[in-house]
Every structure is written in structure tokens, then in C-alpha cells.
Amino acid sequence: MPSGPSLVVVPGLGLDERSSARLREEMPGTVVLLPGMGRPRPVPSLDELARRLLAALPDGPVVLLGHSQSCQVVAAAAVDPRVRAVVLCGPTTDPRMRRLPVLAWRWLRTALAEPWWQVPLVLRQWLHTGPLAMAALWRRASPDRIDGRLARVGVPVVVVRGTRDALCPADWSGRVCAAAPRGRLVELSGAAHMTVQTHPAEIAAVVRAF
């Protein structure tokens, strides 16, 4: 019997392979680290980040999973014929967040909704990636029109949102989902933004559907 597509995870802003460790205990997967997302290097354009992601993909069919800021990179790479499906966990390109006060308020609301056991793990990842790379990635990715990119993606796209995620509010996740021709929204009750880390079984179930 032929095996299903391989899971390829791209961590979110400042995060690395540790953010998806619990998910990869549920199901095997590969992590691709990129500048600003696990690698403390100068951050190139978003299209170049997508090219680097594609260069790291295996030959067979894959499910691409992006989290938070990496969702834009995954959406840009999703037109590749090796991509069988796309899972976007908490995409964060809501244009309203380009204003710093809005971003700060939403980040605080979301952080207070997260389990506190994550704090040391997330801080270690942020320190490894570094604030300069994280800030550069935000500048590159935040103006990107993920809806325009998803309009060209023909494979299934699942947007996963925690119901307590103010960084990816309900109306914005609905817009992202509607932009994809084969988009579908999955909401995780009680979850906030770090769903890959806090709800690995639920995310694995979404991926296994492919």
C-alpha cells in the first residue's frame, strides 16, 4: 500500500524545531529552518525564503505546515507540484496588525491565553534565532498579501485557528480560508496561538486527513 505524503514543518517567527517536537512525536515529519525561523541569519525576500524551502523538500508528495509568520512562506511555496496539501496554523498577516499598538495589544492578549509552561521553551528559541532576524522577518512578511498567493494554490488548504488567538482573529482566519479555492477552517476550542506546540494531537489529525 502506498504511503501518504510526508509532513514538512516550517516554524513560526523566531521558533525552531523544538516548537513542533510534540507534533512529531504524534507523527513523523521534517522541519525546515529558515532565516528568522530558527536560523539567525540575514533574512532575504519572502520569495527567496520560499525558494529555499522548496530546495529542502523531499522528492515525494508533501503536506506543508506553516505556523504564524511562516504561513506566508508556505503559501508562496504551495504551487510546487510536490505539495499535496497545506496546513496554516494561525496565519498572521492581518493588515490591521501593521500598526504597532494593535500588534502589541493582540500579542499581549494572546500571550495571556497561552499555557505558561511554554515560556522558557519559547524564550530559548527566540534567543537562538535572535531579535534582529525576527524583526527582519516581520518586516519582510507582514506586508505580504497571503490571500493573493492562496488564490493560486489548487491543493487543499486548511487554516487552523485557536479560539483564543487574538493574533489570528476569527474574521481574519475566515478571509484567509476563503482566499484558497479549496480552503477549510478548523477552530480549536480554548487554544491560543501556539497550537503546533500545545495541541499536537489535534494538528496531527488534520494532517493525517491527507
Side-chain angles (χ1 to χ4, degrees):
M1 179 180 294
S3 59
S6 304
L7 171 63
V8 176
V9 180
V10 186
L13 177 69
L15 303 175
D16 58 31
E17 68 277 2
R18 288 170 285 188
S19 66
S20 62
R22 298 181 72 212
L23 171 61
R24 288 179 287 112
E25 290 175 358
E26 295 281 340
M27 62 185 311
T30 301
V31 181
V32 176
L33 302 181
L34 296 168
M37 296 164 276
R39 295 202 183 279
R41 298 180 178 179
V43 179
S45 69
L46 194 136
D47 287 319
E48 174 59 24
L49 289 168
R51 283 191 287 270
R52 295 187 190 186
L53 169 57
L54 290 173
L57 293 185
D59 293 333
V62 301
V63 173
L64 280 183
L65 188 149
H67 173 226
S68 191
Q69 199 79 78
S70 72
C71 289
Q72 294 93 293
V73 181
V74 166
V79 293
D80 188 275
R82 289 169 291 180
V83 179
R84 176 77 57 83
V86 173
V87 179
L88 304 176
C89 298
T92 53
T93 50
D94 186 345
R96 294 168 293 188
M97 288 203 301
R98 293 174 193 166
R99 296 178 56 235
L100 185 58
V102 176
L103 173 62
W105 172 237
R106 288 197 186 181
W107 182 88
L108 179 61
R109 286 172 56 198
T110 303
L112 292 174
E114 294 282 5
W116 286 101
W117 59 260
Q118 296 187 97
V119 172
L121 175 61
V122 170
L123 287 178
R124 286 195 293 268
Q125 293 175 76
W126 285 353
L127 288 171
H128 173 74
T129 300
L132 293 179
M134 292 172 63
L137 177 61
W138 178 263
R139 288 193 299 270
R140 295 284 195 190
S142 60
D144 189 68
R145 290 295 302 269
I146 193 172
D147 51 350
R149 293 187 184 274
L150 288 175
R152 300 188 293 271
V153 176
V155 300
V157 175
V158 180
V159 177
V160 180
R161 173 187 178 265
T163 57
R164 303 182 71 189
D165 187 357
L167 291 171
C168 181
D171 59 344
W172 169 245
S173 60
R175 285 175 56 189
V176 174
C177 183
R182 300 173 65 185
R184 179 168 65 93
L185 178 63
V186 173
E187 290 197 297
L188 302 181
S189 179
H193 189 63
M194 298 292 291
T195 53
V196 177
Q197 192 162 272
T198 59
H199 291 68
E202 291 87 340
I203 301 297
V206 171
V207 176
R208 287 194 186 100
F210 303 113

